Amino acid sequence: MRATSLLLAAVGLAGSTVAHPFGETEAVLGPQLQSQEKADAVKEAFQHAWDGYMKYAFPHDELHPVSNGYGDSRNGWGASAVDALSTAIVMGNADAVNTILDHISKIDYTRTPDGVSLFETTIRYLAGMLSGYDLLTGPASDLVSNTENVDNLLTQAKNLADVLKFAFSTDSGVPYNNINITSKASDGATTNGLAVTGTLVLEWTRLSDLLGDDVYAELSQKAESYLLAPQPSSGEPFPGLVGSNVYISNGEFADGAVSWNGGDDSFYEYLIKMYVYDPKRFETYKDRWVLAAESTIKHLTSHPKPRPELTFLSSYNNGNYDLSSQHLTCFDGGSFLLGGSVLGRQDFIDFGLDLVHGCEATYNQTLTGIGPDSWGWDPKKVPSDQKDFYERAGFYINSGYYVLRPEVIESFYYAYRITGRAVYRDWVWNAFVAINATCRTDSGFAAVTNVNAKNGGSKDDNQESFLFAEVMKYSYLTHADDAEWQVQPGDGNTFVFNTEAHPMRVKHT
Ligand SMILES: *[C@@H]1O[C@H](CO)[C@@H](O)[C@H](O)[C@H]1NC(C)=O
Ligand SMILES: *[C@@H]1O[C@H](CO)[C@@H](O)[C@H](O)[C@H]1NC(C)=O
Ligand SMILES: *[C@@H]1O[C@H](CO)[C@@H](O)[C@H](O)[C@H]1NC(C)=O
């Protein structure tokens, strides 16, 4: 998942006679047994976290993995269970899948004591259910015998969208993000963020396509329309790269601050993913992504002085460049790789790999082998106690937290699936082993406070639901057999992953 940084500070192809999708052979795949063992080790980690969640937290939103308590940060509808569904499905974990389906059939989405985030609810709950439906009515249909529980996923997805849809009832159609579903009121904000406005369209369009009812698609595409044709021109300082906030009253941009960081990130991610979802309907989205990608290469590429071979993305505002980046931003390599592969643009693939290597460097250089939540490389801002580290690593750490985010592993996964090179698979494994060694508790996995301290500094008592949805899924899929839901090179994708790593079936029209 993306955009919240501001809050924190199988179908086997194993047989040797079957071609690997990349057209390469054993040298790429490595010994089959080894990969299978690694996939099994990820399953073990998933099961460990799932058992701890079931014992101490279910049906609450998330486990507190140090105190063995629980939290309800996502409206108390069982976020970890719904977010875990598509991962449990691709792992073939029928026990967990059946438990989650039972739970989902009992959720009352009309009730919650807390304010609701349209974005978070869409990417975790709505997408989790839609993905479960697509997988269990498609390539994973063998896993569940109770088809009523599977059909119910779509019913509950509609129920949830019907609860949320009043958020779009504004003068412009740009939604409020923070809403009260009881009073049908909003927080009264005058602007909405780029990512939270622009990361709804995949889920709401998928829902419409499955139901044969355009109302949900239309709401999300109307909101998106302002982002695709930015007004005024100050909202688009470089072709395709747009500001960070739009006015809810009229859809005009409120600023021209450009980045791929949290708050902006998944707007760019969804432009190309909508094209993968349906190239006929979403060609304009692709054109906007291409413009953004070309401008990004031209204007945001940055190389740290001590290690000019590394590539990071800077951000831009009003003539100034900010030389800092975030773990959240590291989905960027995957986005360039997906776009480059789908469009046959080697320049985008090459740039994506540069970004992937930059993000790997943030993992490679710390004591734990896990990268920080944010870092910088501005020679004028190096903290005095990090001068040696900066000279060696090429960056200094702004926030050393690791909160179980997936983006670096996610981009390694795209790099591996699209190039077939074993080094990217090895990087996923290294990261997974480091997370397992540093964050694991008796009941699950905890965020840690300092990735460059022994044992990660101290443990923070929270296990975000995206551990299940994303970290476990990308780590597993990298080492698992080929399957219909895996990312494929070129135009071979039959599924596309939402920003929370929930695979949705693409629309062939
Ligand atoms: C939402 O509105 C209801 C009804 O007006 C109110 O009782 C409740 O406190 C509100 N919830 C939040 C989180 O503000
Ligand atoms: C860092 O990268 C180097 C060179 O690829 C490799 O030899 C080393 O094992 C890596 N270290 C970590 C902690 O990943
Ligand atoms: C993960 O940690 C557990 C507990 O320490 C250990 O038993 C297991 O072997 C580890 N897995 C990997 C792949 O390192």
Side-chain angles (χ1 to χ4, degrees):
M1 69 135 302
R2 242 83 63 200
T4 56
S5 70
L6 308 173
L7 296 179
L8 183 109
V11 181
L13 281 182
S16 55
T17 56
V18 182
H20 189 262
F22 315 120
E24 300 184 37
T25 51
E26 288 306 289
V28 170
L29 272 175
Q32 189 62 30
L33 188 65
Q34 202 192 351
S35 226
Q36 189 58 55
E37 280 169 353
K38 290 176 178 175
D40 288 345
V42 182
K43 280 187 181 175
E44 184 281 328
F46 176 92
Q47 192 68 48
H48 170 69
W50 180 253
D51 291 346
Y53 169 69
M54 286 306 293
K55 182 163 178 195
Y56 297 113
F58 179 81
H60 293 279
D61 283 340
E62 62 269 320
L63 172 73
H64 289 170
V66 178
S67 60
N68 293 336
Y70 59 80
D72 279 315
S73 71
R74 302 260 81 91
N75 303 106
W77 296 321
S80 289
V82 180
D83 238 4
L85 175 60
S86 64
T87 303
I89 293 170
V90 299
M91 287 180 173
N93 188 334
D95 279 352
V97 169
N98 281 309
T99 301
I100 297 166
L101 292 185
D102 265 357
H103 168 69
I104 289 174
S105 71
K106 294 182 201 130
I107 299 174
D108 181 354
Y109 283 117
T110 67
R111 299 163 77 95
T112 178
D114 299 312
V116 171
S117 161
L118 177 63
F119 164 79
E120 295 286 353
T121 308
T122 294
I123 68 168
R124 302 193 203 209
Y125 288 106
L126 190 61
M129 294 186 289
L130 293 173
S131 175
Y133 183 80
D134 273 340
L135 292 165
L136 291 171
T137 56
S141 59
D142 288 353
L143 204 56
V144 174
S145 47
N146 183 343
T147 55
E148 199 181 309
N149 263 353
V150 174
D151 293 341
N152 195 54
L153 288 170
L154 185 56
T155 309
Q156 282 285 57
K158 181 182 187 307
N159 290 341
L160 176 57
D162 285 337
V163 165
L164 299 173
K165 71 184 179 198
F166 78 88
F168 293 91
S169 301
T170 63
D171 287 345
S172 64
V174 171
Y176 291 106
N177 189 57
N178 300 312
I179 55 176
N180 181 330
I181 61 169
T182 312
S183 62
K184 302 224 181 301
S186 77
D187 64 353
T190 54
T191 60
N192 205 19
L194 180 66
V196 297
T197 306
T199 316
L200 307 166
V201 65
L202 176 60
E203 293 83 353
W204 288 67
T205 298
R206 183 68 192 139
L207 177 64
S208 270
D209 288 349
L210 284 169
L211 293 171
D213 176 355
D214 278 346
V215 63
Y216 311 97
E218 279 166 7
L219 290 172
S220 64
Q221 290 172 27
K222 172 75 181 171
E224 182 90 14
S225 66
Y226 300 97
L227 313 179
L228 300 174
Q231 293 294 331
S233 59
S234 57
E236 189 180 10
F238 306 115
L241 291 176
V242 298
S244 218
N245 295 282
V246 289
Y247 290 111
I248 293 171
S249 58
N250 60 10
E252 290 192 0
F253 274 83
D255 63 71
V258 160
S259 86
W260 287 59
N261 298 339
D264 302 325
D265 44 15
S266 42
F267 160 68
Y268 298 108
E269 177 185 353
Y270 273 24
L271 292 178
I272 192 66
K273 285 184 169 177
M274 291 311 288
Y275 180 73
V276 175
Y277 178 68
D278 188 347
K280 287 209 176 96
R281 270 185 291 172
F282 299 106
E283 190 157 12
T284 308
Y285 288 59
K286 178 260 293 175
D287 293 341
R288 294 295 300 174
W289 184 85
V290 168
L291 279 181
E294 287 173 343
S295 289
T296 296
I297 295 174
K298 201 161 162 192
H299 298 289
L300 303 183
T301 303
S302 183
H303 307 292
K305 230 181 192 148
R307 294 186 66 192
E309 78 281 11
L310 297 182
T311 299
F312 298 138
L313 292 187
S314 59
S315 46
Y316 172 90
N317 190 15
N318 207 11
N320 298 312
Y321 288 90
D322 181 33
L323 305 187
S324 69
S325 192
Q326 302 169 342
H327 197 290
L328 285 163
T329 319
C330 283
F331 81 99
D332 54 7
S335 185
F336 272 84
L337 281 151
L338 177 66
S341 181
V342 166
L343 303 174
R345 289 277 303 255
Q346 190 61 40
D347 55 337
F348 291 154
I349 293 179
D350 292 342
F351 190 72
L353 292 175
D354 288 347
L355 295 174
V356 164
H357 283 250
C359 289
E360 193 273 339
T362 71
Y363 271 51
N364 185 290
Q365 294 293 322
T366 67
L367 268 179
T368 58
I370 305 172
D373 203 56
S374 61
W375 67 92
W377 60 97
D378 185 336
K380 297 191 291 296
K381 293 185 182 163
V382 185
S384 54
D385 61 346
Q386 291 194 55
K387 290 220 169 353
D388 291 346
F389 181 84
Y390 167 70
E391 288 301 330
R392 169 170 58 84
F395 64 92
Y396 48 85
I397 295 172
N398 286 334
S399 166
Y401 271 80
Y402 175 65
V403 300
L404 307 172
R405 291 199 196 282
E407 293 79 14
V408 173
I409 292 177
E410 170 183 346
S411 284
F412 292 167
Y413 168 70
Y414 279 89
Y416 174 58
R417 292 295 306 178
I418 283 164
T419 69
R421 289 181 206 142
V423 61
Y424 301 119
R425 186 187 53 195
D426 294 344
W427 288 355
V428 172
W429 179 247
N430 293 347
F432 169 75
V433 168
I435 292 164
N436 187 57
T438 308
C439 303
R440 188 161 168 140
T441 71
D442 289 343
S443 58
F445 292 82
V448 294
T449 59
N450 185 355
V451 293
N452 202 30
K454 202 161 174 286
N455 302 318
S458 55
K459 290 196 167 63
D460 203 41
D461 196 10
N462 197 33
Q463 177 182 282
E464 278 276 1
S465 69
F466 50 70
L467 171 87
F468 290 109
E470 305 194 69
V471 171
M472 292 296 172
K473 186 181 289 104
Y474 290 124
S475 299
Y476 174 73
L477 289 181
T478 302
H479 298 97
D481 288 343
D482 196 18
E484 229 187 290
W485 48 70
Q486 294 260 25
V487 167
Q488 306 293 343
D491 58 6
N493 290 292
T494 49
F495 279 80
V496 62
F497 290 64
N498 93 321
T499 193
E500 190 85 355
H502 296 303
M504 317 249 186
R505 190 184 267 289
V506 305
K507 180 89 173 149
H508 293 289
T509 49

